[in-house]
């Protein structure tokens, strides 16, 4: 149904809501659209929009960033990574480089890229020099990495993979018994690749209304209307409000490439811990291009204990939707995009950065949680 944002808002406002409703989104792109379009302020006061685990940079394990930094600092190689990763802070003494950006300033050959194709091009420019592609991201970022590997890469290109699946984090929240939301807006871009079926467990197993949304205010409002109406009618299903892109089964080619090059494994999420079956690992067929198999190891088990969020940073609670960004005591008081303390203020998909960029400049008390 093609309605304007105003028409969707009118429909939402006309719904007789029984009480407060908490709707979680799990996509940085959704959160950015919600914030920049001012949807929180436009919705009825009873509707709370909660940013959830939708930022891959924010949950990338600290030890993976540390490993990438050490490779770049200690080996004769070029390290490439998506731009957002370069400023993610790690927990080391102030006298040492604390991010890939600082490691680059210290002399390491680290370059930001925007696509796997750039990694291939950089590797081809100097076939004698190893190039490590630090590939951190959710399904939509990992699928192009799989495509790159499937199509063949230069011998000197190695992948340091830190890929994650989105739905297991939502499953973990729901199975915790303290999910903190009544309805879910599922990520349209992930469903485009992996298929809407992945999100079926939300209504079927947990009796939580869910709707897949695209990135326009209209699509997001359509999804919000769907879940609010489901709650009002005491029904529960997965609604696809992004039919332009999301088809049953997702993108079969992308899924085939993922299956051919990677398998699913238990994986660590920064500040959260191990989430079962939530990560990608390279298959043996890709061993020749697996940085962890072919290059010196800088994996440091001790970092798995110390390498959480920086002191005082509440990113883990922000990612889990337990607090809003402006409820972190460092928000705007030591942490801002120019001087980020935690990863949620670094990435364009991080809720703290999105809220700051959207003009939210005041801290509020943790006890005050209400609509943002
Ligand atoms: S405001 Fe900064 S320190 Fe606080 S949760 Fe966000 S990124 Fe972390």
């Amino acid at each position: 149904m093609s309605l304007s944002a105003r028409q969707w808002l009118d429909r939402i406002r006309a719904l007789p809501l029984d009480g407060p409703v908490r709707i979680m989104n799990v996509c940085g792109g959704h959160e950015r659209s919600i914030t920049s379009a001012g949807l929180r302020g436009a919705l009825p006061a009873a509707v709370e929009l909660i940013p959830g685990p939708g930022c891959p940079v924010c949950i990338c394990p600290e030890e993976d960033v540390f490993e990438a930094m050490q490779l770049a600092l200690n080996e004769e190689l070029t390290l490439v990574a998506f731009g957002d990763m370069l400023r993610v802070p790690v927990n080391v003494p102030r006298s040492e480089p604390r991010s890939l950006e600082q490691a680059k300033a210290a002399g390491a050959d680290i370059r930001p890229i925007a696509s796997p194709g750039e990694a291939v091009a950089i590797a081809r420019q100097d076939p004698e020099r190893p190039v490590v592609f630090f590939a951190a991201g959710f399904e939509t970022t990992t699928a192009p990495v799989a495509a790159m590997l499937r199509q063949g890469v230069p011998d000197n290109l190695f992948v340091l993979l830190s890929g994650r699946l989105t739905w297991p984090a939502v499953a973990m929240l729901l199975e915790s018994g303290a999910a903190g939301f009544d309805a879910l807006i599922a990520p349209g871009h992930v469903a485009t690749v992996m298929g809407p079926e992945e999100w079926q467990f939300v209504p079927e197993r947990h009796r939580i209304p869910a709707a897949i949304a695209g990135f326009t205010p209209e699509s997001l409002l359509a999804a919000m209307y769907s879940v609010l109406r489901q709650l009002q009618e005491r029904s529960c299903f997965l609604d696809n409000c992004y039919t332009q892109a999301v088809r049953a089964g997702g993108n079969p080619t992308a899924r085939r490439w993922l299956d051919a090059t990677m398998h699913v494994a238990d994986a660590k999420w920064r500040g959260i811990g191990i989430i079962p079956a939530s990560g990608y690992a390279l298959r043996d067929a890709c061993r020749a291009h697996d940085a962890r198999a072919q290059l010196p190891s800088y994996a440091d088990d001790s970092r798995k204990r110390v390498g959480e969020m920086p002191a005082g940073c509440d990113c883990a609670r922000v990612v889990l939707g337990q607090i809003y960004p402006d409820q972190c005591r460092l928000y705007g008081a030591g942490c801002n995009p120019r001087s980020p303390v935690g990863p949620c203020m670094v990435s364009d998909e991080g809720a703290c950065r999105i809220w700051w960029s959207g003009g939210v400049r005041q801290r509020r008390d943790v006890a005050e949680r209400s609509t943002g």
Side-chain angles (χ1 to χ4, degrees):
M1 190 183 307
S2 181
L3 298 181
S4 68
R6 167 65 53 201
Q7 288 169 315
W8 282 119
L9 275 170
D10 287 344
R11 286 184 171 217
I12 289 172
R13 289 177 184 140
L15 285 172
L17 299 175
D18 292 339
V21 179
R22 302 160 300 173
I23 305 175
M24 177 175 273
N25 75 73
V26 288
C27 168
H30 282 172
E31 182 54 32
R32 202 164 41 243
S33 294
I34 287 167
T35 302
S36 61
L39 296 189
R40 283 190 175 82
L43 289 167
V47 179
E48 191 175 356
L49 300 181
I50 302 171
C55 167
V57 170
C58 306
I59 57 85
C60 180
E62 194 260 11
E63 60 261 30
D64 287 8
V65 185
F66 180 81
E67 194 178 356
M69 283 173 56
Q70 296 311 311
L71 269 172
L73 284 165
N74 295 302
E75 301 297 324
E76 278 298 317
L77 52 76
T78 299
L79 187 124
V80 299
F82 294 122
D84 273 11
M85 288 305 305
L86 266 57
R87 297 186 72 208
V88 172
V90 297
N91 305 335
V92 295
R94 292 207 170 269
S95 56
E96 297 176 26
R98 309 191 86 203
S99 65
L100 288 164
E101 189 176 61
Q102 290 184 12
K104 178 179 168 70
D109 182 3
I110 296 173
R111 306 182 201 177
I113 57 169
S115 70
E118 280 187 60
V120 172
I122 289 169
R124 287 210 171 110
Q125 280 164 12
D126 185 353
E128 301 304 316
R129 185 172 175 80
V131 173
V132 174
F133 177 11
F134 179 33
F138 287 145
E139 297 92 331
T140 43
T141 308
T142 308
V145 177
M148 176 195 80
L149 288 165
R150 196 72 184 130
Q151 287 161 359
V153 296
D155 291 347
N156 59 324
L157 181 57
F158 305 94
V159 175
L160 185 66
L161 186 62
S162 193
R164 296 290 181 272
L165 292 90
T166 321
W167 71 263
V170 175
M172 185 269 298
L173 276 174
L174 288 168
E175 279 153 25
S176 72
F181 60 93
D182 309 300
L184 181 79
I185 304 294
H189 60 337
V190 173
T192 301
V193 175
M194 306 302 289
E197 299 83 359
E198 279 196 340
W199 299 94
Q200 202 70 48
F201 76 96
V202 178
E204 284 185 357
R205 208 178 310 151
H206 300 281
R207 306 300 304 157
I208 300 263
I212 297 168
F215 298 91
T216 61
E218 291 80 7
S219 183
L220 283 158
L221 287 166
M224 289 172 203
Y225 175 75
S226 171
V227 295
L228 288 168
R229 189 159 172 193
Q230 290 180 53
L231 285 166
Q232 185 222 338
E233 294 177 346
R234 311 253 188 275
S235 62
C236 191
F237 59 92
L238 175 68
D239 199 2
N240 181 2
C241 299
Y242 193 30
T243 52
Q244 308 93 308
V246 176
R247 310 259 190 277
N251 180 331
T253 306
R255 293 183 63 182
R256 213 167 36 246
W257 282 338
L258 279 167
D259 279 349
T261 56
M262 302 172 195
H263 63 90
V264 172
D266 296 351
K268 173 119 179 259
W269 292 50
R270 187 173 186 176
I272 296 171
I274 303 280
I275 300 182
S278 69
Y280 287 107
L282 291 176
R283 289 191 185 279
D284 281 348
C286 297
R287 195 172 170 77
H289 295 284
D290 186 347
R292 292 189 173 97
Q294 302 299 335
L295 299 173
S297 173
Y298 289 91
D300 178 353
D301 276 350
S302 69
R303 302 212 70 76
K304 292 177 183 167
R305 291 187 294 277
V306 302
E308 298 297 343
M309 295 300 179
C313 166
D314 262 333
C315 278
R317 295 175 72 201
V318 170
V319 165
L320 291 173
Q322 294 170 346
I323 62 167
Y324 285 121
D326 58 352
Q327 291 173 312
C328 169
R329 75 197 116 125
L330 297 182
Y331 186 85
C335 182
N336 59 55
R338 289 170 68 97
S339 180
V341 174
C344 295
M345 194 60 95
V346 171
S347 170
D348 284 342
E349 296 189 280
C352 297
R353 186 180 180 111
I354 291 169
W355 279 43
W356 186 271
S357 303
V360 180
R361 296 295 156 87
Q362 298 295 319
R363 274 198 68 248
R364 68 175 138 171
D365 197 271
V366 173
E368 283 178 36
R369 179 159 171 164
S370 62
T371 49

